[in-house]
Amino acid sequence: MSTYVYMVRHCDSPKEGNERTRGLTPKGYSDSQLITDILKSEKINAVVSSPYRRSILTVKKIADQLGQEVVIYEDLKERKFSSEDNRISDKQLAPLLEKSFKESTFALEGGESNDDCQKRAIEVINELLDKYRDKNIVIGTHGAVMTLIMGYFDSTFDLEFLQRTTKPDLYRLEFKEKDLVDVKRLWDVQ
C-alpha cells in the first residue's frame, strides 16, 4: 500500500497585505474550484493546511465536499523570510531565494533559513505519514516550503523546480512508508 500526499500550492492572492491573512484574487477563487475538481476523484481522506488564509481557501472546497474541516498545522506555514509580516516583493525575493538555496543556513535578521523551515515542516510531514498511513492527504501549502519538503526526500526539487511552479500548482507524492517513490504533477497550467 501507499500513502499519497497531494501538495497544493495556493492559488493567486493579492500582492499586498499581511502574509497570514491575505486571501485569494477572483482568479484564485476560480482556480480553487479547478483544484477541487481534480481532487474529487482522488479518494481524499484528510485535508490539512498551512495556517495562512490563502492556503486554507485553496483547499477548503475539497474539505467541504468531504464534510470535513481543514486541519491547520502552524509548522506548514511558508518560510519566514524576514521579521516583517507583509509580503516581500518579487524583486527582493529572487536574490534572497538564490542565496538561501546556495547556503541553506542563510537567513535575514528575524527570518528563518531553508534548514529551519525544512526541519519544522518535515516534522509535520512525518507525523502525517504516520497518522494517515496508506491514505490520501491534501496539504494546502506555499512555494518555498513545498519545495523544501519535496527536496528533503529528493534533491532534484530545488530552486529551479520552485521557479517553475505556478499558483496554483498540484503534485501527487507517493510514499511507501516514509520513502518518496513517485511524484506526478496533476495541475495542467491553464
Side-chain angles (χ1 to χ4, degrees), residues 10-184:
H10 67 80
C11 297
D12 190 52
S13 63
K15 302 293 184 229
E16 293 84 31
N18 183 283
E19 276 297 283
R20 191 169 284 270
T21 59
R22 280 189 293 131
L24 299 178
T25 63
K27 181 182 184 328
Y29 279 106
S30 175
D31 285 346
S32 72
Q33 183 59 56
L34 296 174
I35 290 288
T36 301
D37 293 343
I38 293 168
L39 292 172
K40 268 188 217 178
S41 62
E42 299 295 321
K43 297 183 173 75
I44 303 303
N45 301 100
V47 180
V48 304
S49 180
S50 151
Y52 292 6
R53 188 166 178 254
R54 60 192 180 276
S55 292
I56 296 166
L57 291 172
T58 298
V59 298
K60 186 174 181 343
K61 288 180 184 178
I62 192 70
D64 289 347
Q65 285 188 349
L66 296 169
Q68 298 179 8
E69 295 293 320
V70 177
V71 179
I72 306 302
Y73 283 84
E74 182 68 26
D75 283 341
L76 290 177
K77 67 185 175 190
E78 180 61 296
R79 178 181 160 205
K80 185 173 179 171
F81 292 104
S82 73
S83 59
E84 300 292 316
D85 283 335
N86 292 327
R87 183 180 184 275
I88 292 179
S89 73
D90 292 341
K91 186 178 178 181
Q92 294 171 303
L93 189 58
L96 175 59
L97 285 171
E98 194 166 314
K99 184 164 184 173
S100 297
F101 276 87
K102 285 180 183 167
E103 301 171 38
S104 63
T105 59
F106 169 76
L108 294 176
E109 188 174 330
E112 69 182 332
S113 68
N114 276 4
D115 281 354
D116 292 337
C117 177
Q118 185 180 63
K119 182 178 186 287
R120 69 167 159 79
I122 289 301
E123 286 180 16
V124 174
I125 297 301
N126 283 329
E127 177 185 331
L128 293 171
L129 289 172
D130 287 337
K131 184 175 183 176
Y132 297 105
R133 186 175 174 182
D134 299 329
K135 304 246 188 253
N136 298 340
I137 316 158
V138 168
I139 298 178
T141 190
H142 309 268
V145 69
M146 177 181 78
T147 300
L148 293 170
I149 290 167
M150 293 168 72
Y152 175 84
F153 296 100
D154 179 343
S155 63
T156 62
F157 296 102
D158 56 10
L159 179 59
E160 259 183 55
F161 166 78
L162 172 59
Q163 292 168 334
R164 288 190 313 266
T165 63
T166 58
K167 292 179 190 172
D169 219 332
L170 175 58
Y171 295 86
R172 181 179 63 208
L173 285 59
E174 179 181 2
F175 288 89
K176 299 280 188 192
E177 302 290 328
K178 291 188 180 169
D179 294 323
L180 179 63
V181 296
D182 188 51
V183 176
K184 182 177 181 187

